[in-house]
Amino acid sequence: MRHLLPAFLAFAAFTSPAQAEPSLEKGFDGALRGCEEWLLNPASWVDGPEPFIEAVGLGNQMGLVEKVEEVSLPPKLMRRAMHYWRINSSPTAGYVLVVSDQVPMCHITGGGGTDLQPSVQSVLSSPAFNERWEKLKTDSKADMTTTTFRNREDPALSMAISRAQKPGQRLDRVQVIATATYQTGN
């Protein structure tokens, strides 16, 4: 995992209890839904951002920004025609959703001064998420866990989500990274 840059998400640093916070859950779930919407329903964004924002359902909690820190960018091979969405989820933490209108991918990062692990785990364990995504495999290395999922609506869409194995881990780095790719027939 790459270290968190001080400017990442521009949130103050302090620690909160290890329990899921509804606004952090809503932000992560919204980022995931934004990823799905971008890749599975291009009609929601082809005529401008408003229909996309409405479909994601986060309202003014989500906004288009001109650029994001390097730490929030997808792997270099995916960096083409990118659009950046910032999702403010608490005064100290949030998520960045990076999408492309040329590469079938989306990339989510989350960080800040609040422990995101309980909220991320809560979303990944929720019935709504599991109705949309099938868990394929989970691998752990050091204090991080990566789970690969396949979309139930369109199995060509897969996503790898890396996050801390348990609450209370380091906050001075990106705490969650999710990268989804859509495998076209090409």
Side-chain angles (χ1 to χ4, degrees):
M1 300 289 287
R2 297 173 274 181
H3 276 73
L4 180 68
L5 297 177
F8 179 71
L9 300 175
F11 294 108
F14 71 85
T15 306
S16 67
Q19 59 188 12
E21 294 184 32
S23 60
L24 293 172
E25 287 180 36
K26 181 180 176 187
F28 185 60
D29 184 59
L32 293 169
R33 282 184 287 113
C35 181
E36 293 167 60
E37 185 70 20
W38 191 272
L39 293 170
L40 297 176
N41 187 18
S44 70
W45 53 265
V46 75
D47 291 326
E50 292 81 14
F52 175 70
I53 292 171
E54 187 175 323
V56 172
L58 292 175
N60 64 4
Q61 185 179 345
M62 178 175 160
L64 194 57
V65 295
E66 288 188 28
K67 65 179 182 173
V68 295
E69 297 294 326
E70 174 79 18
V71 71
S72 292
L73 295 176
K76 289 186 180 186
L77 291 173
M78 296 179 179
R79 295 181 190 179
R80 197 168 65 221
M82 295 183 297
H83 304 274
Y84 314 106
W85 299 89
R86 181 178 162 139
I87 300 169
N88 297 321
S89 298
S90 82
T92 64
Y95 306 94
V96 171
L97 169 63
V98 178
V99 294
S100 170
D101 58 28
Q102 293 180 9
V103 179
M105 71 87 195
C106 70
H107 185 74
I108 300 166
T109 52
T114 303
D115 186 357
L116 300 180
Q117 194 278 346
S119 298
V120 168
Q121 199 57 46
S122 178
V123 170
L124 297 181
S125 301
S126 72
F129 179 82
N130 285 286
E131 284 177 20
R132 299 184 331 259
W133 294 92
E134 172 189 10
K135 183 162 95 173
L136 298 179
K137 68 176 184 170
T138 299
D139 295 311
S140 296
K141 184 175 181 182
D143 61 347
M144 299 300 292
T145 295
T146 300
T147 306
T148 304
F149 298 92
R150 179 175 41 217
N151 186 270
R152 293 181 190 276
E153 178 184 335
D154 189 338
L157 179 58
S158 63
M159 180 174 358
I161 301 175
S162 298
R163 72 264 181 217
Q165 286 182 15
K166 59 186 178 182
Q169 300 301 305
R170 293 175 42 198
L171 302 182
D172 66 337
R173 64 179 176 186
V174 173
Q175 296 179 46
V176 61
I177 295 177
T179 303
T181 54
Y182 187 85
Q183 301 299 319
T184 60
N186 299 343

